């Protein structure tokens, strides 16, 4: 099985190339849509052929279809060209075990029969001799290989269901087959067989070479779905689809769903994808409406109707989930508005962050007011800087600035600010008022202790300042190493006194005032 | 002592303040010892603006070039210095003139509805003229943080040296 898969995978590529290179030019003039449909469906068939699990699930439906459309033999004639297209290229390109595919393809034709018939009639009965020659061949092999037959039948439904995925360039993950989108696309096939078939020509059937590979992955993960999709849920699917085909929004929804499902997909794909959906959908819609009445498949398929319902339900649930991820109902889903929404979300998130920074802004609601607050706050801060620099400019020029004094002061102040009862820095506590008033309340009791150590600190402070000034006066620039050293000393010395200053110079281990120089 | 290598520590306000204090005090000392302009009035004005510039520069250099606003400030300072060097005998006029005073046209899909506020904020935050709204918010937040630290340190300094 695995080996086969590998071979399949390997062959698929060349086969595809063959398709596009050989079949398209020859068959294009006569029936584009079918041709493309086949090209896209064939790889699917191949891959699903390789998966045996499909066989049993589909065994019951296949005969019914087959029986139900004995008339298909005529159709087969018409379809033989399709078949031919399908079969010819694989047989030309690949191994003997492609025969399985050959068998599959007629089966597909059978199941497609009703749907395709109309097309064929429109397109003209086309019976190339090669097709007729091929037909008996495949038919003769039919009875011999029942498993393949069943597989083929299943594949037919499958391929239709998966057309979406085929078209869909990002059907790369198995989860995609589980996604609402693919399940929905399986709803389509029953009536919309031809419609789906049409889709691929309108879409990327011709230009997307890598698609089949993706389809293969989808196929592998989809076996159960395929069976149910084939049998069941035509009516809901039809109604839904015909409704959806007409209006732009639902089409958009389709596209957006795809977008959502494959987040990892590139924007390019999305963009490429979205314009196509309307066309496809409308086409499908037309086809569905055409076929809806005269499609015998719907009757046949009711045999396993419950299955289909289940699937549709699950698909609905999944759809809802996906809708909730990005765009809510009524929101625009084109890429521009999505990007705009993301941007707005980012802005509001940062505004929230800013709200925490700006005091008194947390109560404010509304962006305009908040912006006003922020602007005011920034302005006030800048004015404060100006004012403080003015004050600093008036400092006695003989006095030198030193980091030690500042640090000592900083530590001291934070401590004092927190224990605001010390008269020494009544005004010093002011700048830290918002932060430290609470601290002051908390640590009013410690103020007594603080006052005793405060004298020491003050003397130390002045001492250090003197030292710093003395050293700095001759050479205006004190070596930074010295600065650092002193700063360390000061910190060592002063930190103990500030177990309280939790905010300003954060980690201050308590308890060694005696280590002072 | 290389703040640009430790971006995470910049979130720590204590570290920010420490770094800023070091730089600012060094700049103040430089300022102290280099110039003694003759006229008192003029001198005061000059000095205060220079102190302000020194403070802004110190803060911006602490933050480094990671932030748009600090980059803008540093760039302005460099510009100022080069201009000062050109006409060195002129008393430097400290008008932090905007290089590109026109804010980038963000009128389309303006999230705030009121672009006047946003443009005001752009003028307040250095380097905000060229930012889009999202970046502007982030820069504003960081700028406010740094300004708060700067103000606190400067207040401490003022209290230290101007005990009234």
């Amino acid at each position: 099985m695995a080996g086969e898969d590998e071979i399949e995978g390997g062959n698929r590529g060349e086969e595809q190339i063959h398709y596009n290179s050989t079949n398209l030019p020859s068959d294009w003039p006569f029936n584009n849509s079918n041709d493309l449909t086949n090209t896209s469906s064939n790889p699917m068939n191949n891959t699903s052929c390789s998966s045996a699990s499909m066989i049993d699930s589909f065994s019951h439906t296949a005969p019914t279809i087959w029986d139900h459309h004995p008339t298909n033999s005529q159709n087969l004639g018409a379809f033989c060209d399709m078949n031919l297209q399908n079969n010819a290229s694989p047989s030309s390109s690949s191994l003997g075990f492609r025969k399985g595919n050959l068998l599959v393809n007629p089966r597909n034709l059978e199941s497609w029969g009703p749907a395709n018939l109309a097309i064929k009639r429109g397109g003209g009965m086309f019976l190339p001799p090669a097709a007729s020659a091929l037909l008996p061949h495949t038919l003769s092999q039919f009875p011999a290989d029942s498993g393949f037959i069943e597989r083929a039948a299943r594949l037919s439904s499958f391929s239709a269901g998966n057309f979406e995925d085929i078209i869909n360039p990002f059907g790369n993950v198995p989860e995609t087959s589980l996604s609402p989108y693919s399940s929905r696309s399986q709803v389509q096939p029953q009536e919309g067989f031809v419609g789906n078939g049409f889709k691929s020509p309108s879409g990327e059937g011709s230009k997307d070479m890598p698609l089949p590979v993706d389809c293969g992955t989808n196929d592998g993960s989809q076996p159960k779905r395929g069976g149910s999709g084939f049998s069941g849920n035509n009516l809901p699917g039809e109604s839904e689809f015909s409704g959806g085909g007409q209006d732009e929004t639902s089409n958009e929804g389709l596209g957006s769903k795809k977008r959502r499902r494959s987040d990892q997909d590139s924007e390019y794909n999305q963009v490429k994808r979205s314009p196509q959906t309307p066309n496809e959908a409308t086409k499908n819609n037309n086809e569905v409406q055409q076929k809806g009445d005269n499609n015998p498949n719907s009757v046949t398929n009711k045999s396993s109707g419950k299955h289909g319902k289940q699937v549709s339900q699950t698909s609905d649930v999944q759809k809802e989930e996906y809708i909730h991820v990005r765009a809510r109902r009524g929101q625009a889903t084109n890429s521009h508005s999505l990007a705009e929404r993301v941007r707005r979300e980012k802005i509001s998130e940062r505004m929230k962050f800013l709200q925490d920074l700006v005091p008194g802004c947390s109560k404010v609601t509304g962006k305009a007011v908040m912006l006003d607050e922020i602007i005011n706050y920034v302005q006030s801060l800048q004015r404060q800087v100006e004012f403080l620099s003015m004050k600093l400019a008036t400092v006695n020029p003989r006095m030198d600035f030193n980091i030690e004094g500042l640090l000592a002061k900083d530590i001291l102040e934070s401590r004092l600010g927190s224990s605001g009862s010390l008269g020494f820095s009544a005004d010093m506590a002011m700048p830290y008022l918002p932060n430290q008033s609470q601290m002051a309340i908390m640590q009013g009791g410690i103020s007594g202790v603080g006052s005793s150590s405060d004298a020491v600190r003050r003397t130390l402070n002045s001492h250090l300042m003197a030292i710093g000034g003395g050293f700095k006066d001759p050479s205006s620039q004190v070596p930074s190493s010295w600065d650092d050293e002193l700063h360390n000393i000061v910190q060592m010395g002063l930190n103990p006194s500030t177990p309280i200053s939790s905010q300003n110079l954060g980690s201050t281990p308590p308890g060694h005032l005696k280590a002072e120089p | 002592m290389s703040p640009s290598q430790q971006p995470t520590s910049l979130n720590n306000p204590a570290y920010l303040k420490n770094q800023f204090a070091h730089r600012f005090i060094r700049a103040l000392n430089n300022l102290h010892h280099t110039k003694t302009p003759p006229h008192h009035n003029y001198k005061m004005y000059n000095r205060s603006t220079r102190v302000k510039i020194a403070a802004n520069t110190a803060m911006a250099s602490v933050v480094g070039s990671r932030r748009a606003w600090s980059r803008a400030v540093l760039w302005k300072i460099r510009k100022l210095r080069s201009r000062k060097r050109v006409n060195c005998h002129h008393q430097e006029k400290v008008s932090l003139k905007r290089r590109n005073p026109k804010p980038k046209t963000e009128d389309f899909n303006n999230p705030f509805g009121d672009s006047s506020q946003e443009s005001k904020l752009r003028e307040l935050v250095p380097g905000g003229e060229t930012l889009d709204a999202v970046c502007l918010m982030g820069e504003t937040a960081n700028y406010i943080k740094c300004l708060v630290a700067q103000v606190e340190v400067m207040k401490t300094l003022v209290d230290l040296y101007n005990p009234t």
Side-chain angles (χ1 to χ4, degrees):
Chain A
M1 203 55 191
E4 210 181 52
D5 266 331
E6 278 184 13
I7 296 170
E8 290 271 351
N11 286 332
R12 226 178 288 138
E14 9 169 50
E15 183 189 319
Q16 275 306 307
I17 295 168
H18 262 280
Y19 263 160
N20 291 333
S21 60
T22 59
N23 283 336
L24 281 185
S26 62
D27 295 358
W28 187 272
F30 113 79
N31 201 343
N32 279 341
S33 61
N34 278 335
D35 194 14
L36 283 176
T37 309
N38 288 335
T39 54
S40 52
S41 68
N42 204 14
M44 311 260 333
N45 293 340
N46 292 341
T47 55
S48 45
C49 266
S50 62
S51 68
S53 63
M54 294 176 171
I55 300 174
D56 21 30
S57 66
F58 237 86
S59 52
H60 56 283
T61 52
T64 58
I65 292 176
W66 183 243
D67 297 338
H68 208 272
H69 309 297
T71 55
N72 279 339
S73 56
Q74 315 148 3
N75 292 336
L76 267 183
F79 286 136
C80 271
D81 45 359
M82 283 172 57
N83 241 338
L84 185 63
Q85 296 153 15
N86 275 336
N87 296 332
S89 56
S91 59
S92 64
S93 65
S94 58
L95 323 170
F97 91 108
R98 287 284 175 210
K99 296 228 162 182
N101 285 329
L102 293 186
L103 281 177
V104 167
N105 290 329
R107 255 327 183 177
N108 280 339
L109 289 181
E110 290 298 325
S111 56
W112 283 3
N116 280 334
L117 185 58
I119 293 180
K120 279 298 176 180
R121 274 177 200 143
M125 297 298 256
F126 204 86
L127 279 178
S132 58
L134 197 74
L135 181 60
H137 170 62
T138 54
L139 281 181
S140 66
Q141 286 201 353
F142 237 91
D145 213 354
S146 64
F148 269 126
I149 295 173
E150 287 146 10
R151 231 183 274 156
R154 132 54 89 49
L155 284 179
S156 64
S157 73
F158 225 93
S159 52
N162 284 333
F163 271 147
E164 284 288 339
D165 291 330
I166 295 174
I167 297 167
N168 198 358
F170 13 84
N172 44 2
V173 215
E175 77 176 79
T176 52
S177 60
L178 297 178
S179 73
Y181 186 66
S182 62
S183 62
R184 182 192 176 146
S185 68
Q186 279 180 354
V187 173
Q188 297 170 1
Q190 293 82 29
E191 308 89 2
F193 239 109
V194 184
N196 283 333
F198 260 114
K199 231 182 243 183
S200 59
S202 73
E204 308 137 17
S206 57
K207 50 187 170 176
D208 276 336
M209 300 289 284
L211 283 188
V213 182
D214 298 338
C215 292
T217 60
N218 283 336
D219 254 350
S221 61
Q222 255 186 347
K224 299 162 229 151
R225 248 332 137 70
S228 58
F230 185 88
S231 54
N233 37 7
N234 316 333
L235 297 182
E238 179 181 292
S239 61
E240 185 184 352
F241 201 71
S242 59
Q246 231 77 14
D247 51 354
E248 286 291 310
T249 56
S250 66
N251 290 337
E252 280 228 335
L254 216 67
S256 67
K257 243 180 281 158
K258 267 173 227 157
R259 236 175 273 143
R260 246 168 269 134
R261 178 188 57 189
S262 54
D263 275 338
Q264 71 271 40
D265 292 329
S266 62
E267 277 289 332
Y268 165 69
N269 277 340
Q270 294 176 10
V271 171
K272 194 172 121 201
R273 183 84 195 119
S274 48
Q276 283 169 0
T277 38
N279 295 334
E280 291 167 12
T282 48
K283 275 198 182 181
N284 277 338
N285 195 22
N286 295 337
E287 280 302 322
V288 168
Q289 282 171 347
Q290 274 186 14
K291 300 295 153 197
D293 307 327
N294 57 356
N295 197 357
N297 263 351
S298 59
V299 184
T300 329
N301 292 336
K302 276 185 182 164
S303 57
S304 55
K306 327 155 206 168
H307 217 44
K309 262 173 203 166
Q310 275 183 355
V311 171
S312 64
Q313 277 176 359
T314 54
S315 72
D316 277 347
V317 169
Q318 281 166 345
K319 238 182 277 173
E320 301 256 329
E321 274 178 15
Y322 274 101
I323 286 172
H324 279 304
V325 173
R326 293 291 287 275
R328 277 177 224 98
R329 193 184 172 84
Q331 282 180 325
T333 51
N334 58 359
S335 58
H336 282 296
S337 41
L338 274 180
E340 176 59 23
R341 201 177 308 131
V342 168
R343 181 166 156 272
R344 256 182 272 127
E345 275 165 16
K346 260 189 207 162
I347 288 177
S348 61
E349 168 194 319
R350 291 191 191 192
M351 289 281 264
K352 247 173 241 159
F353 185 61
L354 268 173
Q355 228 174 3
D356 296 337
L357 279 179
V358 179
C361 200
S362 52
K363 300 160 229 158
V364 174
T365 56
K367 272 182 187 161
V369 188
M370 216 150 79
L371 261 186
D372 270 338
E373 287 287 323
I374 291 167
I375 288 170
N376 283 340
Y377 188 57
V378 171
Q379 267 174 340
S380 76
L381 280 176
Q382 282 174 344
R383 246 179 277 125
Q384 256 176 316
V385 167
E386 221 160 300
F387 175 71
L388 287 170
S389 58
M390 240 163 65
K391 267 197 151 186
L392 276 178
T394 61
V395 167
N396 188 358
R398 279 178 309 161
M399 217 197 231
D400 227 327
F401 298 99
N402 49 4
I403 190 73
E404 306 78 36
L406 172 75
L407 284 173
K409 182 83 166 189
D410 199 9
I411 294 157
L412 200 67
E413 179 182 326
S414 63
R415 200 199 63 80
L416 286 177
S418 53
S419 64
S421 62
L422 298 180
F424 171 62
S425 65
D427 53 339
M428 263 174 67
M430 289 298 288
Y432 295 88
L433 206 55
N435 290 335
Q436 291 168 349
S437 52
Q438 315 130 350
M439 294 298 282
I441 296 166
M442 263 173 55
Q443 275 137 4
I446 314 176
S447 61
V449 184
S451 66
S452 67
S453 62
D454 186 51
V456 181
R457 215 163 305 114
R458 221 183 308 171
T459 54
L460 174 83
N461 224 357
S462 57
H463 172 65
L464 283 179
M465 268 164 57
I467 290 175
F471 264 93
K472 271 175 191 173
D473 269 338
S475 64
S476 67
Q477 190 69 355
V478 179
S480 62
S481 62
W482 192 81
D483 260 0
D484 284 343
E485 200 179 322
L486 195 64
H487 149 73
N488 287 339
I489 294 170
V490 170
Q491 264 195 337
M492 261 177 52
L494 283 183
N495 282 352
S497 65
T498 66
I500 311 155
S501 74
S502 56
Q503 300 125 337
N504 274 336
L505 288 173
S507 59
T508 55
H512 18 83
L513 253 181
K514 286 141 200 164
E516 301 295 311
Chain B
M1 265 290 230
S2 58
S4 57
Q5 265 118 50
Q6 318 158 352
T8 51
S9 56
L10 274 184
N11 295 331
N12 182 9
Y15 175 82
L16 200 68
K17 273 198 239 172
N18 245 329
Q19 292 293 317
F20 168 70
H22 274 275
R23 283 163 195 262
F24 184 46
I25 282 176
R26 217 170 295 152
L28 276 184
N29 279 327
N30 273 341
L31 210 66
H32 246 304
H33 293 284
T34 45
K35 275 245 168 101
T36 48
H39 308 297
H40 181 74
N41 221 354
Y42 200 81
K43 180 184 107 186
M44 287 320 291
Y45 167 74
N46 193 20
R47 267 184 69 97
S48 70
T49 50
R50 293 182 73 194
V51 167
K52 193 180 90 181
I53 289 171
N56 286 338
T57 314
M59 204 62 209
S61 62
V62 167
V63 174
S65 60
R66 273 183 305 274
R67 287 288 173 173
W69 70 264
S70 59
R71 256 174 290 157
V73 167
L74 289 175
W75 183 81
K76 265 183 221 160
I77 299 298
R78 225 177 301 134
K79 209 69 187 164
L80 211 67
R81 275 187 195 147
S82 68
R83 204 161 33 138
K84 194 168 72 179
R85 231 172 277 134
V86 167
N87 43 359
C88 48
H89 280 302
H90 258 277
Q91 281 298 335
E92 96 187 80
K93 198 180 174 200
V94 195
S95 66
L96 294 182
K97 213 168 154 195
R98 296 232 142 65
R99 173 62 176 256
N100 36 0
K102 261 187 217 162
K104 211 168 129 195
T105 51
E106 279 263 332
D107 300 331
F108 53 91
N109 57 33
N110 182 14
F112 302 114
D114 186 7
S115 66
S116 71
Q117 279 175 325
E118 196 188 336
S119 60
K120 218 191 274 177
L121 194 61
R122 266 176 215 288
E123 280 176 27
L124 283 179
V125 178
E129 300 93 345
T130 56
L131 297 175
D132 64 334
V134 181
C135 293
L136 181 68
M137 290 294 118
E139 289 298 319
T140 310
N142 188 268
Y143 184 57
I144 285 177
K145 247 194 241 167
C146 293
L147 264 187
V148 168
Q150 186 179 339
V151 165
E152 284 180 8
V153 171
M154 286 176 80
K155 264 178 188 164
T156 326
L157 275 177
V158 167
D159 291 334
L160 186 61
Y161 294 107
N162 266 358
T164 48

